[in-house]
Amino acid sequence: MAIAQRVEDIRKFLWNKETKEFVGRNWKSWLEIIGFYVIYYSILAGFFICMLLAAFSHFPELEDGPKRTELLAHRGPGLHVLPNYDTKGSDNTAVYYSTKMHDYGKSLEPFLQAHKDLKDDAKYGTCAGSKNLVNDTWTKDKPCFYFYLNKIYGFVPKKLVEDGFEKPVTIECMPKTEKYAQYIDKMTVYPNTGFDLSKFPWKYGKNWDVEAPVAAVQIEINKPVSHAEIRIMCHVRAANIYLSETTPNIGTANFRLSY
């Protein structure tokens, strides 16, 4: 009896013939609540549409690039180095292992094939991809490292002026301390004219990973004893890239070779 009564109560709640109410409300009440929510959500939708239109009206055109890039470029871009490393040490320095020299050389092949300039023997010497010797340089303890600046819209490196002469924007590498110098016979930078400034700046539509100007550094190693390491510091020489120990990635790349 109780179950039948509950069923009847539910039926009556859903539709009450006597009061003409549906789910406890008559037609007038339903119109009022539906009208309220239609107006309420229409106002919300209108508000958000106005906000989006206001935002879009301040977006620059794609060909004009982003605004306020000086906030990114006020100290200079980061420096990308190849080949990619396997791991980082406790001091956050990239580590390359002597047991994987062949693998590092092979991993550079797609990068070398994608960059047409790197096939120029005259500019890149033994680090040129067209010689097919890059892998050999790694296995013979004369590895080539490749550097390019991260993209910042509109940024163009400026040449340093020393003793009244302009110097090319290039890479400079050195042992981190004197004790590592004993393991290095020579470092050679390619090309000797530095980064090709005509390829700057990066703009929308440029595939920077392929079109970025590249500098290479070949490090000729006087092979150290087992369990030794060589720490290398590299940085970009440019008037508008401000190097800092507290922000080490700006224009710099530090790594170590582990034997």
Side-chain angles (χ1 to χ4, degrees):
M1 186 66 179
I3 294 176
Q5 182 61 44
R6 289 180 181 178
V7 171
E8 177 61 22
D9 290 343
I10 292 172
R11 186 198 63 75
K12 191 172 183 179
F13 170 73
L14 293 174
W15 175 246
N16 191 322
K17 291 182 179 180
E18 298 173 0
T19 58
K20 307 297 184 185
E21 291 179 347
F22 174 69
V23 194
R25 293 179 180 274
N26 58 30
W27 66 269
K28 183 179 180 182
S29 178
W30 276 112
L31 284 177
E32 288 174 349
I33 194 168
I34 290 172
F36 169 78
Y37 280 109
V38 167
I39 295 171
Y40 175 70
Y41 284 112
S42 295
I43 292 173
L44 282 180
F47 172 77
F48 284 112
I49 289 171
C50 288
M51 294 299 101
L52 288 173
L53 290 174
F56 285 133
S57 68
H58 287 79
F59 287 172
E61 296 297 327
L62 288 177
E63 59 271 19
D64 295 334
K67 296 181 179 180
R68 308 296 293 176
T69 55
E70 69 273 13
L71 299 177
L72 295 173
H74 73 292
R75 296 198 63 82
L79 183 63
H80 197 86
V81 57
L82 289 168
N84 294 322
Y85 53 84
D86 284 310
T87 186
K88 283 191 173 184
S90 57
D91 58 353
N92 209 35
T93 302
V95 181
Y96 297 91
Y97 295 99
S98 62
T99 55
K100 295 185 176 182
M101 289 298 196
H102 175 76
D103 296 335
Y104 297 134
K106 292 290 289 183
S107 71
L108 285 167
E109 290 180 2
F111 173 77
L112 296 171
Q113 291 301 314
H115 282 263
K116 295 179 181 179
D117 287 354
L118 291 175
K119 298 175 183 179
D120 188 336
D121 299 346
K123 289 176 64 177
Y124 287 94
T126 51
C127 289
S130 64
K131 286 182 177 291
N132 296 317
L133 294 176
V134 171
N135 189 44
D136 290 339
T137 66
W138 278 82
T139 56
K140 294 178 180 177
D141 292 312
K142 298 179 180 180
C144 290
F145 291 87
Y146 299 86
F147 302 85
Y148 64 89
L149 291 167
N150 293 346
K151 59 187 179 184
I152 294 180
Y153 187 91
F155 179 82
V156 180
K158 294 180 180 178
K159 294 181 178 180
L160 284 170
V161 177
E162 296 178 351
D163 300 325
F165 296 96
E166 286 188 337
K167 302 294 182 179
V169 176
T170 188
I171 288 285
E172 184 176 81
C173 293
M174 64 193 75
K176 187 171 183 180
T177 62
E178 187 62 32
K179 74 174 184 178
Y180 301 116
Q182 62 180 314
Y183 302 129
I184 299 174
D185 288 336
K186 185 171 66 171
M187 293 190 189
T188 308
V189 178
Y190 299 104
N192 56 15
T193 54
F195 291 104
D196 183 356
L197 299 186
S198 68
K199 293 190 174 183
F200 289 96
W202 172 78
K203 290 188 176 182
Y204 178 79
K206 272 190 178 183
N207 184 354
W208 198 240
D209 290 336
V210 173
E211 299 183 46
V214 176
V217 176
Q218 185 173 35
I219 303 173
E220 297 185 28
I221 300 168
N222 175 12
K223 198 167 186 178
V225 296
S226 181
H227 305 298
E229 68 174 12
I230 308 169
R231 297 198 176 209
I232 307 293
M233 300 171 56
C234 298
H235 64 267
V236 179
R237 287 178 51 81
N240 56 343
I241 296 179
Y242 306 96
L243 308 178
S244 169
E245 290 294 331
T246 57
T247 315
N249 188 46
I250 294 177
T252 65
N254 298 335
F255 53 89
R256 49 180 161 163
L257 301 169
S258 181
Y259 281 81

